[in-house]
Every structure is written in structure tokens, then in C-alpha cells.
Amino acid sequence: DVKVTQSSRYLVKRTGEKVFLECVQDMDHENMFWYRQDPGLGLRLIYFSYDVKMKEKGDIPEGYSVSREKKERFSLILESASTNQTSMYLCASSSDRGSGNEKLFFGSGTQLSVL
Amino acid sequence: GESVGLHLPTLSVQEGDNSIINCAYSNSASDYFIWYKQESGKGPQFIIDIRSNMDKRQGQRVTVLLNKTVKHLSLQIAATQPGDSAVYFCAEKTAGGFKTIFGAGTRLFVKA
């Protein structure tokens, strides 16, 4: 089975801190994604990556950056955490070979609270 | 912009009954549709998908129906069980695209 592992289940940080959220997948997937999930808003795409060292902005990239130095690892970075970044963060991967029909495999999520 | 929305935020059904969760989408260019299930404390998990050249697809106890004329998607769960209690998301993609667009989700409650 595909496994997407997020390094922390819960995180509590202070406003202004730099925050790293780590995600690792073990299925050699080309594509990796970071979503945030807020009640009533569904899942919103922050950033994604379709190859090592490649990154693309999603729908809500402001205040975030990403890093993909290795194929299996995709990191989300909050340069200066703010209270409105309190949310559930979900990492996902997919093996999309151009057909557009590949499903996402999600990690269990990181609940981040910024105080 | 594109959006995928749900008609009802919550659905309560009796154990053993059939459940129907509805979804409306607005992007005519979308040609791949997916349903995900999210249980408490877990990430979303794939349930079933359908391509735009199909109207219906069946899985184990689940059926997805696609009506492209009115841009409507539904998930039917047969003989709903307590383990089906979760939030269900519909999602859409376009061929060759990387982005999956999610709806807001429907919470399904199963009453024993």
C-alpha cells in the first residue's frame, strides 16, 4: 500500500516562528501536494510539485513556500507563522503520468495551531 | 473560477438504508471525477472515480453517477453501515492537469 507520512500529527507554534512541515511518500510518485483543510472550505491547494526541485503555486500560496530536494520528500515552510495559518495541513502524492486520471494518496494530516 | 460544491453539508441515514450524496461542479472542462472519504483523524481516502465518457460506475457497495448535462455527480452507498460515517468529498480534475479541486464535503451520520 502507498504510504504518505507526515512528520507531526499536532504542532503548536508561536506567531512569527518559522515552521517546517515534512512529508514523505514511499511509492516513487512523481507528484506531491500540500493542501490545507478548514471547516466548510474543503481542501485548498497551497503548492504542488511534479518533479524534484520543481514547484508550482496552488490556489493559496501566500505565506508559504515549499522544498523538494528528493523525490520522496516534500516540505511545506511557513516563513513567519501567523494565526490565520492555524489549520489542518494535508500532504498527498500521485503517480500522474499525463492522463490526468490518477487519484491522490493522503497522509493523516498535521493540525497546526499558531498562537 | 472553478468550484465543486455540495448540496447538503450533513446527511443522516438509518443503518441499512441507502445513502445518496450529491455534488455539483461548474467546470465544463473537467473530465475526471473522484469521491474521497475522510474518517475522523485521518486523511481523505479514495473511494471511487469516474471519467467523463461514463455515466455510471459501480464499486463494492458504492456507485457513482455522472450527469454532464447538469454538471452533477452523486455517490450512492448501499446498505449503509456505521463504518460509513465520515466526511465525503467530491473532486474534479481536467486531463493533463495536476490540480484536483475539492468540494466543501458532506458529513454522513449513520444511526444504529
Side-chain angles (χ1 to χ4, degrees), chain B residues 19 22 30 34 38 40 47-48 53 56 69-70 79 100 102 105 110:
Chain B
S19 303
N22 295 304
S30 293
I34 319 103
Q38 186 176 27
S40 180
I47 303 173
I48 192 168
N53 60 354
K56 178 179 180 179
T69 302
V70 295
T100 301
F102 286 83
V110 182

Side-chain angles (χ1 to χ4, degrees), chain A residues 86-100:
Chain A
T86 292
S87 186
M88 171 68 77
Y89 290 88
L90 289 162
C91 176
S93 70
S94 74
S95 178
D96 192 329
R97 302 195 184 279
S99 69

Side-chain angles (χ1 to χ4, degrees), chain B residues 40-94:
Chain B
S40 180
K42 298 183 180 179
Q45 185 176 20
F46 170 85
I47 303 173
I48 192 168
D49 57 3
I50 189 168
R51 297 179 63 180
S52 59
N53 60 354
M54 302 171 68
D55 297 321
K56 178 179 180 179
R57 191 169 188 213
Q58 289 185 289
Q60 188 177 11
R61 280 199 311 116
V62 294
T63 301
V64 55
L65 298 177
L66 176 62
N67 185 332
K68 295 180 288 295
T69 302
V70 295
K71 299 191 186 74
H72 185 267
L73 191 68
S74 68
L75 176 70
Q76 300 179 0
I77 305 173
T80 311
Q81 302 170 359
D84 295 325
S85 293
V87 176
Y88 290 81
F89 293 97
C90 64
E92 62 178 313
K93 283 188 72 179
T94 54

Side-chain angles (χ1 to χ4, degrees), chain A residues 5-73:
Chain A
T5 303
Q6 295 184 230
S7 55
S8 303
R9 185 71 182 90
Y10 298 97
L11 274 180
V12 180
K13 297 293 182 180
R14 295 198 176 277
T15 301
E17 280 192 79
K18 190 169 185 176
V19 182
F20 293 87
L21 302 183
E22 306 288 347
C23 176
V24 177
Q25 50 94 4
D26 66 359
M27 284 301 291
D28 200 37
H29 282 171
E30 294 82 7
N31 308 322
M32 296 189 74
F33 306 81
W34 276 106
Y35 286 86
R36 65 176 281 176
Q37 181 177 18
D38 300 287
L41 296 178
L43 280 70
R44 293 180 292 167
L45 182 63
I46 305 171
Y47 266 97
F48 66 97
S49 168
Y50 53 88
D51 201 352
V52 176
K53 296 191 185 295
M54 304 303 291
K55 59 184 180 183
E56 294 286 341
K57 293 180 179 179
D59 299 317
I60 52 165
E62 295 78 18
Y64 304 94
S65 63
V66 291
S67 173
R68 192 162 181 207
E69 296 297 317
K70 294 183 178 181
K71 189 175 185 179
E72 67 271 18
R73 186 179 297 270

